[in-house]
Amino acid sequence: MTEEASISDLLPLIAVALNDKAAADAYEELATAREERDIPRKVEVTRCLNNGEDEDEDAEAVVFASAMFEDGKYGSNTNLWSVTLEQNSNNTCRLADLRDCHICVGGGFPVATLDDEFPNDAGFQGFFNGENSESSSDACAVSFCFSPYSTWLGLWIHGWPREEWEAFIQSPSYGPDDICHYLVDIVAAQHPEATVEFRAVSFVARYIHGALKRLLPPRRKEEVRTDRDRRIAENHDPDGEALYHFVGMTMREQGNEASPVLFMSQVHSIMGFLGAMGVNRLGVNDDLIMTAIETHERLGDEGLQEMQNQLGQDEEEESEEGDGDDEEESEEEDGDDEEESEEDEEDGLLIKEEQVGGSRPYVEEANEV
């Protein structure tokens, strides 16, 4: 085979390779262009070491989690626009680095910082949600609320033993303003392997009307509004909301100073008890409502359970007494019927006696028959 023939035979393969490379280059350019286009429309949790003082200007930005703003939806609380975050598999946030995290939009403009030592900051508070039903592990769910526009960040903490965070939730030693300090300076020091998984960022919808109007495509805007309005119509229960508000206000007025997470759990316990008792609005059995609140304040969930058992037992006893009364009434009615039957028989016999001229043997024969 000549050299010219060998080269000519390779030309198709070379052309295919060049085409493949051109296609690969085009795909990469397209992906880069798409990423550059999407970055300004993303909600991100980024690292900002010492609020930017220690960041390398030439290094790539460290993004722990992100999502497109338009992919969000109205949350279970329809007053919130919630964006579920996707974790960046290349960057894992250690709990010890939580203070260096910012929530950013528009490609890196911060809307909130988790640095509780940042000067002149509007401030934020942390709340423990405890076990999250969406998690298959022992991850502890925590929410942070940032002033002044009530932006919420939900996250899970992995690597913090369950028994420890459960005990902490029951402890009143730290308030909402101290949660970040406790997590970074105490928990992370005890468990340096602990990590953070950022779950969602939620914005109060009325504060971001401009973004909702301009960043959502028309079809997406129609979809989320329809879904929101449907859920509002399905869940609207003014009587239940009034009862819920009354229970919470009464508990606070009676001196309940539990942390927000514990307090909401207590309110839900009382509402669950009232629901089991068939009380779903004010005015049905207000005495039972007040008794339930007072019982829970003194004895907790166990007191409500004992109260429910006692009420159930009382209902069974009343039911049994009612059945006994019915039986007695039935027996009395049966006795009356027997007496009436005997009287009727006697009347019939007297008639027969008169018909046969008062013959007693006829009566005896008739009784035998």
Side-chain angles (χ1 to χ4, degrees):
M1 179 181 294
T2 64
E3 183 177 351
E4 291 79 0
S6 299
I7 295 175
S8 62
D9 291 339
L10 293 175
L11 285 177
L13 298 176
I14 295 172
V16 170
L18 290 174
N19 287 336
D20 288 345
K21 185 177 186 307
D25 292 343
Y27 178 81
E28 185 176 348
E29 290 178 4
L30 183 62
T32 301
R34 185 181 294 112
E35 178 67 18
E36 292 176 351
R37 180 203 65 187
D38 290 346
I39 283 177
R41 303 167 71 93
K42 281 188 174 183
V43 178
E44 300 174 311
V45 178
T46 66
R47 186 193 69 181
C48 192
L49 294 176
N50 192 22
N51 286 298
E53 292 291 340
D54 298 332
E55 284 288 343
D56 183 352
E57 290 185 352
D58 298 322
E60 292 187 4
V62 176
V63 179
F64 293 119
S66 64
M68 296 292 290
F69 177 84
E70 64 193 50
D71 289 339
K73 63 180 181 179
Y74 290 97
S76 55
N77 177 350
T78 53
N79 294 315
L80 298 176
W81 178 259
S82 183
V83 180
T84 301
L85 300 173
E86 181 179 348
Q87 306 305 300
N88 187 338
S89 58
N90 297 322
N91 296 316
T92 299
C93 180
R94 300 184 310 144
L95 182 58
D97 297 330
L98 185 63
R99 189 175 277 136
D100 292 324
C101 294
H102 285 184
I103 301 174
C104 296
V105 296
F109 294 96
V111 297
T113 175
L114 279 159
D115 189 350
D116 55 342
E117 299 175 346
F118 189 68
N120 302 320
D121 182 47
F124 63 95
Q125 293 183 322
F127 305 94
F128 282 85
N129 306 329
E131 182 178 10
N132 195 302
S133 59
E134 298 178 9
S135 174
S136 59
S137 65
D138 285 343
C140 179
V142 182
S143 296
F144 288 98
C145 181
F146 302 87
S147 299
Y149 296 114
S150 298
T151 299
W152 288 84
L153 172 65
L155 55 86
W156 289 348
I157 299 174
H158 299 278
W160 185 14
R162 183 189 188 93
E163 61 273 11
E164 292 188 16
W165 59 255
E166 283 185 338
F168 176 81
I169 290 176
Q170 301 296 328
S171 171
S173 54
Y174 285 88
D177 296 324
D178 304 319
I179 298 303
C180 188
H181 154 69
Y182 182 81
L183 291 175
V184 174
D185 298 328
I186 298 178
V187 177
Q190 296 173 350
H191 304 282
E193 74 286 355
T195 60
V196 177
E197 179 182 352
F198 298 101
R199 300 290 301 172
V201 175
S202 299
F203 306 89
V204 177
R206 68 176 181 270
Y207 295 145
I208 59 167
H209 276 309
L212 292 173
K213 291 176 180 177
R214 292 184 293 177
L215 297 182
L216 267 59
R219 180 177 296 180
R220 179 62 177 161
K221 190 184 305 180
E222 181 180 357
E223 288 176 355
V224 296
R225 287 182 177 178
T226 300
D227 176 68
R228 176 200 61 187
D229 295 342
R230 175 188 58 80
R231 288 189 286 122
I232 289 175
E234 290 177 352
N235 299 327
H236 184 57
D237 180 13
D239 290 336
E241 292 172 2
L243 176 59
Y244 190 93
H245 179 73
F246 175 81
V247 169
M249 289 296 295
T250 303
M251 292 171 65
R252 288 304 196 195
E253 290 173 356
Q254 291 185 354
N256 188 310
E257 298 180 352
S259 66
V261 174
L262 282 178
F263 181 73
M264 295 306 296
S265 175
Q266 293 169 6
V267 173
H268 290 159
S269 294
I270 296 174
M271 292 295 293
F273 166 80
L274 294 175
M277 295 293 100
V279 179
N280 54 15
R281 61 184 176 86
L282 294 170
V284 174
N285 192 336
D286 291 349
D287 290 340
L288 180 60
I289 296 172
M290 294 302 300
T291 301
I293 295 173
E294 293 169 358
T295 299
H296 191 276
E297 289 297 298
R298 291 186 293 105
L299 304 173
D301 291 346
E302 294 181 358
L304 287 182
Q305 185 61 53
E306 183 178 349
M307 185 177 171
Q308 183 173 347
N309 294 340
Q310 184 61 48
L311 290 174
Q313 184 178 349
D314 292 344
E315 289 180 358
E316 290 180 1
E317 292 176 355
E318 289 178 1
S319 177
E320 291 175 359
E321 291 176 0
D323 293 341
D325 293 340
D326 292 340
E327 291 178 0
E328 291 178 2
E329 291 177 0
S330 177
E331 291 176 357
E332 291 177 358
E333 292 176 357
D334 292 342
D336 293 341
D337 292 341
E338 290 177 0
E339 292 178 359
E340 292 176 358
S341 178
E342 291 175 357
E343 291 176 357
D344 292 341
E345 289 180 0
E346 291 176 359
D347 291 342
L349 291 176
L350 291 175
I351 292 174
K352 291 179 181 179
E353 287 176 0
E354 292 175 356
Q355 290 175 343
V356 298
S359 173
R360 295 295 300 171
Y362 178 84
V363 175
E364 292 175 358
E365 290 175 1
N367 287 338
E368 289 177 1
V369 172

